[in-house]
């Protein structure tokens, strides 16, 4: 039983390292929705890992000792290595965010390249840029240009 508790404590410690990775992504993407999704994903993985260890070492029977050991391993990681990596992760996340801001316009242009190639290469090749204009109709003899085409400009009845 003590061996199982040690395995659960080690599992909790390892999931503390996984939480550290998720914390880096939360620092990288400072968005409430992203934080919510990352936390939800972490706790789903945490529960899956706990359940897998329960099945492997105790045939799925939940005992307070195993839950306490798992949680103690997580707290051990948080109070030791988690605090040591916090400053380093913040610096890395800030640096990565700055790089993303600088290269954001380049990435946007790069991602739009296939669309531009498709549009310029295929669509414009099929459609001319402007329609060919039809030749102007010939004017009737003696009339000024446009009077023969548009009856609005000349008065009827007067010659």
């Amino acid at each position: 039983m003590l061996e199982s508790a040690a395995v659960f404590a080690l599992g909790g410690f390892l999931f503390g390292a996984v939480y550290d990775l998720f914390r880096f992504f939360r620092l990288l993407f400072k968005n409430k929705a992203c934080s919510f999704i990352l936390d939800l994903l972490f706790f789903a993985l945490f529960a899956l890992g706990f359940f897998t260890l329960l099945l492997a070492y105790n045939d799925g029977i939940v005992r307070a000792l195993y839950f306490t050991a798992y949680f103690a391993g997580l707290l051990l990681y948080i109070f030791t290595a988690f605090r040591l990596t916090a400053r380093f992760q913040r610096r890395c996340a800030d640096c990565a965010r700055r790089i993303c801001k600088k290269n954001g316009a380049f990435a946007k242009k790069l991602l739009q390249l296939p669309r531009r190639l498709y549009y310029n290469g295929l669509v414009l090749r099929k459609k001319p840029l402007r329609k060919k204009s039809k030749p102007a109709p010939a004017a009737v003899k003696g009339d000024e240009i446009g009077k023969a085409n548009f009856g609005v400009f000349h008065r009827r009845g007067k010659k």
Side-chain angles (χ1 to χ4, degrees):
M1 183 171 258
L2 195 58
E3 178 187 331
S4 298
V7 169
F8 275 85
L10 181 64
F13 192 83
L14 291 176
F15 266 96
V18 171
Y19 183 72
D20 215 8
L21 178 70
F22 276 87
R23 182 180 60 152
F24 175 74
F25 286 116
R26 283 177 44 204
L27 289 172
L28 189 60
F29 307 111
K30 289 189 174 184
N31 186 353
K32 288 184 180 182
C34 186
S35 293
F36 174 76
I37 291 170
L38 287 173
D39 284 344
L40 187 70
L41 184 62
F42 168 73
F43 283 111
L45 288 173
F46 189 81
L48 183 68
F50 183 71
F51 183 67
T52 304
L53 283 176
L54 277 177
L55 287 176
Y57 283 93
N58 202 25
D59 296 327
I61 300 171
V62 179
R63 295 200 174 165
L65 173 69
Y66 297 139
F67 181 73
T68 306
Y70 202 67
F71 193 65
L74 177 68
L75 288 178
L76 181 67
Y77 183 85
I78 287 175
F79 289 126
T80 56
F82 188 77
R83 292 181 182 247
L84 296 174
T85 62
R87 219 179 267 156
F88 177 70
Q89 281 187 349
R90 278 192 204 105
R91 287 180 186 163
C92 288
D94 289 341
C95 181
R97 235 182 287 115
R98 270 188 258 120
I99 290 171
C100 287
K101 279 185 181 180
K102 287 180 182 178
N103 296 330
F106 173 73
K108 185 177 178 182
K109 287 181 181 181
L110 187 65
L111 291 173
Q112 290 177 348
L113 180 68
R115 186 182 131 283
R116 279 187 279 144
L117 289 174
Y118 168 74
Y119 182 75
N120 290 337
L122 298 175
V123 174
L124 289 181
R125 198 176 290 162
K126 291 178 184 176
K127 295 180 188 176
L129 289 177
R130 60 181 131 131
K131 294 180 181 179
K132 294 180 181 178
S133 59
K134 296 179 183 177
V140 179
K141 281 188 180 179
D143 285 339
E144 294 180 19
I145 297 176
K147 285 187 180 178
N149 295 332
F150 305 104
V152 179
F153 295 113
H154 71 280
R155 293 184 186 176
R156 295 180 187 204
K158 290 187 180 178
K159 291 188 182 181

